[in-house]
Amino acid sequence: MRNWISGAVAVVCLAVMCVGLSGGCSDIGVTRYYERGAIACTSPIAAQIGREVFEQGGNAVDAAVAVGFALAVAYPRAGNIGGGGFAVVHDSETGKISALDFREKAPLAATETMFLDSLGEVIENASLLGPKAAGVPGTVAGLRALWEAYGSLPWEDLVRPSAVLADTGFVVDSALAADLEAHREELCGFEESCVLFFPEGRAVRPGERIRMPDLAGTLFAIAAEGADGFYKWRTAEKIVATMEKYGGLISSEDLASYEALWRDPLHFRFDRHDIYSMPPPSSGGIALGQILKLLEPMDFGALFPQSPKYMHLFAEASRLAYADRATHLGDPDFHDVPKTLLDEQYLDRRRQLIDPNHATPSKNIREGSPPVIEGEETTHISVCDGTVSYTHLRA
């Protein structure tokens, strides 16, 4: 639910990059070319808003920003301005690939034991549902940072369509109606969401129109005032008041101090392709790299995707990667993520655990021990001048 924008931005930018470069995507099969751009997202309404941005002369990031805000209205299940995400952007003019981290952050008042009871036991669903489960939102700051770095159209032109959509409303489809009914208990745990999505005690039905006036007001403020329209002033005051009402932790200081961070993208080679993805705190890039690198030496060209062997090998590689993910990956601000999880020799050892003919019982799958780059008892010296370079390694 939280990393929706990484998919949206990556797909949009990849589509534009492949069309714009000659030969750069020669190994990727396509069924249709798009001259101006392409959008892939979960909401036809949001996709249409993005299409209109292209028609106005906007670029891929302009469209991604507009679609991001539109999803907050038309796809409340996962589109958000109360969550966060990641973005990977390729600039075709410079060739630069950038990674933006706008994941939610823990409030300053958060503690290690906030989801435990007096006996030290985990409180069921405390980290998943309710005010303490919410991190400091990063989406608005992230979309603003993307626009400041790469946008070409006026900010207000990208946000206002979503504000108008929330204000005038849109027609509910069967998927949204079913989602709301499935989550009735959780949503009706809060007065505001219950009144919005369950008027007269029932979920809105397919074909009915739903309006979101409070969200519209917030989006109009963001359109006019930028990220400050969310992290400061009236909207921030409302967020803090709601947190205090329900026992949450997010403060005005948390909101005012939030910053999206540009990070060096994760890069690895797979077959003949250079692949760029998000580094930690995202775990997806390293997990993807491990899965692909574990499978790289295997003859997948002789298999078709639905074949039992194909699915077996992919599942085994995925289970090894996710075992590493559960132990080794986390927020680098608080956890030392090993830098050797994509090391060739380490993955060679992990690959030996894959039985090509039998599934490994899940209870037997454990994380690996990636090599340590530098131990506590050694040092590394590099010296160079105009005539010679010298590197000293001591084990």
Side-chain angles (χ1 to χ4, degrees), residues 165-366:
L165 179 67
D167 188 38
T168 59
F170 63 94
V171 176
V172 173
D173 60 20
S174 58
L176 175 56
D179 283 339
L180 294 175
E181 188 58 50
H183 295 281
R184 174 191 290 269
E185 182 177 352
E186 299 100 307
L187 290 169
C188 280
F190 306 93
E191 178 185 353
E192 294 82 357
S193 56
C194 196
V195 170
L196 176 63
F197 296 119
F198 299 89
E200 302 177 1
R202 62 170 179 81
V204 289
R205 296 168 179 167
E208 294 181 337
R209 179 172 292 271
I210 185 172
R211 293 181 61 248
M212 303 179 181
D214 288 340
L215 179 56
T218 299
L219 291 170
F220 277 122
I222 294 169
E225 302 161 357
D228 284 348
F230 182 82
Y231 293 98
K232 298 179 181 179
W233 308 319
R234 186 179 179 186
T235 302
E237 291 172 359
K238 288 185 174 182
I239 293 173
V240 173
T242 302
M243 285 287 146
E244 292 174 349
K245 175 181 178 180
Y246 289 105
L249 301 177
I250 296 175
S251 67
S252 57
E253 183 181 359
D254 288 317
L255 294 167
S257 62
Y258 185 92
E259 292 183 356
L261 299 175
W262 290 100
R263 300 184 184 274
D264 292 330
L266 179 74
H267 171 230
F268 62 91
R269 291 277 298 177
F270 174 70
D271 193 21
R272 293 164 291 171
H273 303 288
D274 287 288
I275 297 178
Y276 294 85
S277 187
M278 280 300 302
S282 170
S283 60
I286 289 179
L288 173 66
Q290 284 197 327
I291 293 169
L292 292 177
K293 298 296 284 185
L294 286 168
L295 297 174
E296 189 173 27
M298 302 178 183
D299 186 15
F300 265 62
L303 305 174
F304 59 93
Q306 288 77 30
S307 67
K309 187 167 186 179
Y310 182 105
M311 291 188 288
H312 165 68
L313 294 175
F314 185 85
E316 292 295 291
S318 298
R319 294 205 293 180
L320 290 172
Y322 273 78
D324 270 357
R325 175 184 183 271
T327 296
H328 297 305
L329 294 176
D331 189 336
D333 288 344
F334 303 95
H335 174 73
D336 291 329
V337 179
K339 299 187 184 334
T340 51
L341 288 168
L342 294 177
D343 179 80
E344 297 283 356
Q345 293 182 342
Y346 171 66
L347 292 176
D348 285 344
R349 293 197 301 272
R350 296 287 280 169
R351 192 181 299 109
Q352 300 307 311
L353 300 176
I354 297 177
D355 185 334
N357 299 311
H358 300 90
T360 306
S362 294
K363 65 180 181 181
N364 295 339
I365 295 178
R366 296 288 184 270

Side-chain angles (χ1 to χ4, degrees), residues 123-151:
I123 302 172
E124 186 177 4
N125 290 328
S127 64
L128 302 175
L129 183 66
K132 288 186 179 179
V136 182
T139 295
V140 176
L143 295 180
R144 178 72 179 191
L146 280 173
W147 174 79
E148 290 176 346
Y150 297 101

Side-chain angles (χ1 to χ4, degrees), residues 35-123:
E35 294 182 0
R36 186 173 296 166
I39 299 168
C41 72
T42 54
S43 166
I45 296 173
Q48 178 59 33
I49 287 178
R51 177 176 180 172
E52 291 169 1
V53 169
F54 279 132
E55 291 172 349
Q56 295 166 21
N59 60 28
V61 169
D62 289 323
V65 169
V67 169
F69 282 110
L71 287 172
V73 181
Y75 194 63
R77 174 181 178 181
N80 68 79
I81 58 170
F86 304 109
V88 178
V89 183
H90 172 265
D91 187 334
S92 60
E93 292 185 358
T94 64
K96 182 180 179 180
I97 297 174
S98 305
L100 182 63
D101 171 7
F102 51 102
R103 186 68 186 266
E104 309 94 312
K105 295 182 179 179
L108 293 171
T111 66
E112 293 181 355
T113 59
M114 59 189 288
F115 300 127
L116 304 180
D117 62 20
S118 59
L119 299 178
E121 300 294 327
V122 175
I123 302 172

